[in-house]
Amino acid sequence: PAAPPAARAALPSSDAAIVTEILRESCVDCHGKGKPKGGVSVARLIDHMTPEALGEHWEEWQRMADMIATREMPPEDADVFPT
């Protein structure tokens, strides 16, 4: 499926830096590059955070956002999660 229009837009660089920092601090320990839990490599996604890559991987970003919104992630025993 084609990416929704919002996924095609680039994040301003300051916003992308903030998102990247939060994801690295909060998600990469479990969702890194080696054997990411749930098969979701947040590290890979943020390494390729370009407008094109955001659009190409919008379903993964949407899935991650949905899991955070429904509080499926982070797990209750997570050490760190921004408020």
Side-chain angles (χ1 to χ4, degrees):
R8 292 186 206 123
L11 284 174
S13 61
S14 60
D15 290 345
I18 292 168
V19 169
T20 298
E21 181 179 340
I22 290 169
L23 293 174
R24 285 195 195 282
E25 290 177 1
S26 306
C27 307
V28 171
D29 283 348
C30 295
H31 299 283
K33 292 180 185 174
K35 287 184 103 178
K37 288 188 178 181
V40 177
S41 176
V42 174
R44 183 183 54 78
L45 289 172
I46 59 178
D47 281 351
H48 302 286
M49 196 182 294
T50 64
E52 296 80 19
L54 287 173
E56 290 170 15
H57 301 284
W58 72 270
E59 290 171 319
E60 292 172 82
W61 286 104
Q62 185 64 54
R63 180 175 166 219
M64 190 166 49
D66 290 346
M67 293 188 83
I68 292 168
T70 60
R71 299 189 183 264
E72 292 178 64
M73 284 285 132
E76 289 185 25
D77 62 347
D79 293 333
V80 179
F81 192 74
T83 56

